[in-house]
Amino acid sequence: RMLSGYNPKNNVKDAYKILELEEGCSLDDVRNSYRNLARKYHPDSSSGMADSKAFIRVEEAYRAVLNDLTAKQKSDTGEEEEDQFKSKSLQHRHYLSFEGVGIGTPSQREKQYRQFRVDRATEQVLEYRQQRLESLYPSSDLSRAKDVRQSKKVKITQAVERLVEDLIQESMARGDFDNLSGKGKPLQKFSDSPHIDPMTHNLNRILIDNGYQPEWILLQKEIRETIKRLRNSIVASRRKLGEPMTPSEQKQWSRICEQFAEDIRKLNKRVDNFNLVVPILSRQMVHFSTDKEILRARKTYEAVMEKGSDSDTKENEGEEGK
């Protein structure tokens, strides 16, 4: 730091001698020699040859040699290449990171650089897969296979259209469309609102009249019927075991509860599928809890037993009164 603005007075030949080098050496040789001599003569080093004056001479020689190598490189490459390099290079250290990608603050440029790396990696993966497919299957085979698949789709579509048209023509020939209700009358709209597409609502009405139901309604109905069946089955199983339960009956009850928990887990998967397809957020369903359902079954069983005991006591009282 003290010698940062110091210009060495020694000539270049003496500088090479101090660094124990010969003229024409590389920049790495100069750095390695300077590092070794600095370790030897630096005052703060633990070396026995530490000397501040010798270290200053080594420092001056190192700077002189660096200046000499820089001048030689400039003379070799020329001033035009140097000017071009200076115009392209970014002078501030902050802009030399992130491969020169992005603008803004360091944090913003870091985010932009991460996204740049992700995009570059994605492009490389796609190029690799494309090259691998091209190596495995020639371009002619790929195009031929694509054309075959496309032609099959076209043939299937045309066959279905012809089949539907033939069925319609046969029905018209038999007179199935002669006695339709509302024949010759315009289709009624669902609403008089001008913002509603009449074609869409007419199609929906036709589907509803023919018994069509959306998938989420069918799933909802299936879930409700399943939970009702499971609740009735576990209450019935509990009534069969009676009260109090023997050790063998308790084991049987634990197995029934385990099977019930497995059924509830499968039912919750159906609930997840329902929540994915239901169009209304307020219609979504929550998972069923196994513990709550078992507790509910026990309460239902106790209520049924209490009603049964009350009815028995009333009958006994009536007989005694008679």
Side-chain angles (χ1 to χ4, degrees):
R1 289 192 295 269
M2 291 186 301
L3 301 173
S4 58
Y6 179 77
N7 294 323
K9 297 180 180 180
N10 296 337
N11 55 17
V12 179
K13 293 183 179 180
D14 294 337
Y16 279 104
K17 290 180 181 180
I18 292 173
L19 293 178
E20 300 176 356
L21 296 172
E22 296 180 357
E23 295 185 5
C25 60
S26 62
L27 184 60
D28 294 334
D29 296 336
V30 175
R31 290 174 179 172
N32 293 331
S33 178
Y34 170 71
R35 191 180 297 111
N36 295 330
L37 294 175
R39 291 175 182 175
K40 184 187 296 184
Y41 297 115
H42 198 278
D44 296 336
S45 65
S46 59
S47 176
M49 301 177 64
D51 188 1
S52 59
K53 294 181 180 180
F55 176 72
I56 292 174
R57 288 196 298 271
V58 170
E59 182 77 16
E60 293 174 355
Y62 176 66
R63 293 182 180 277
V65 171
L66 286 181
N67 293 332
D68 182 61
L69 292 177
T70 304
K72 290 181 179 179
Q73 289 179 358
K74 287 182 179 180
S75 61
D76 294 338
T77 56
E79 295 180 357
E80 294 181 358
E81 294 181 359
E82 180 185 2
D83 295 338
Q84 186 179 2
F85 175 77
K86 286 184 178 180
S87 62
K88 290 184 178 180
S89 63
L90 298 173
Q91 299 299 323
H92 199 275
R93 183 179 180 183
H94 162 69
Y95 291 99
L96 295 177
S97 58
F98 308 121
E99 300 182 12
V101 176
I103 57 174
T105 62
S107 59
Q108 293 175 350
R109 296 185 69 246
E110 184 178 1
K111 292 180 182 179
Q112 296 172 13
Y113 179 63
R114 289 179 181 176
Q115 186 62 35
F116 168 74
R117 292 184 61 188
V118 171
D119 297 339
R120 183 172 60 184
T122 305
E123 292 178 358
Q124 291 177 356
V125 170
L126 293 176
E127 290 178 359
Y128 170 75
R129 290 181 178 178
Q130 183 178 1
Q131 293 176 0
R132 187 175 180 182
L133 288 174
E134 290 178 354
S135 62
L136 293 176
Y137 307 100
S139 58
S140 58
D141 296 342
L142 287 176
S143 60
R144 192 181 300 111
K146 185 176 180 180
D147 295 339
V148 170
R149 288 195 298 268
Q150 190 68 22
S151 62
K152 285 183 179 179
K153 289 182 180 179
V154 172
K155 289 181 181 178
I156 292 172
T157 304
Q158 293 176 353
V160 172
E161 291 178 354
R162 287 196 299 270
L163 177 61
V164 172
E165 185 67 25
D166 293 341
L167 292 175
I168 293 174
Q169 294 295 332
E170 290 178 2
S171 299
M172 292 176 64
R174 290 195 302 267
D176 296 338
F177 297 154
D178 295 339
N179 298 323
L180 295 177
S181 60
K183 180 181 179 181
K185 298 179 181 180
L187 294 175
Q188 297 180 359
K189 297 182 180 180
F190 283 100
S191 175
D192 295 332
S193 176
H195 304 289
I196 298 177
D197 183 17
M199 180 62 70
T200 302
H201 283 281
N202 289 332
L203 291 175
N204 291 335
R205 183 177 180 178
I206 293 171
L207 292 174
I208 292 172
D209 293 341
N210 288 275
Y212 172 78
Q213 291 181 347
E215 182 182 2
W216 65 274
I217 293 180
L218 297 176
L219 282 174
Q220 187 180 29
K221 184 179 179 181
E222 182 182 357
I223 290 170
R224 290 177 177 175
E225 292 177 353
T226 304
I227 191 62
K228 183 178 180 181
R229 178 176 55 80
L230 292 176
R231 288 171 178 171
N232 294 334
S233 65
I234 194 170
V235 172
S237 301
R238 183 66 186 85
R239 291 182 64 182
K240 288 181 182 179
L241 295 176
E243 188 70 27
M245 291 187 295
T246 61
S248 60
E249 291 176 345
Q250 289 180 355
K251 291 181 180 179
Q252 186 177 357
W253 172 248
S254 63
R255 289 195 295 269
I256 292 172
C257 291
E258 290 177 358
Q259 182 63 35
F260 181 75
E262 180 65 21
D263 295 337
I264 290 294
R265 187 182 64 81
K266 294 179 181 179
L267 184 61
N268 288 332
K269 288 185 177 180
R270 296 182 185 176
V271 171
D272 293 336
N273 296 332
F274 169 78
N275 292 334
L276 290 175
V277 298
V278 63
I280 305 173
L281 187 63
S282 59
R283 293 292 186 89
Q284 289 191 345
M285 303 176 66
V286 297
H287 284 186
F288 296 96
S289 175
T290 305
D291 298 334
K292 291 182 179 180
E293 294 296 332
I294 293 175
L295 182 60
R296 178 177 180 175
R298 289 178 180 175
K299 291 181 179 180
T300 305
Y301 167 73
E302 292 175 357
V304 171
M305 295 301 294
E306 288 179 358
K307 289 182 180 179
S309 62
D310 292 340
S311 61
D312 293 340
T313 54
K314 288 181 181 180
E315 291 178 358
N316 294 331
E317 290 176 357
E319 291 178 358
E320 290 177 358
K322 291 179 181 179

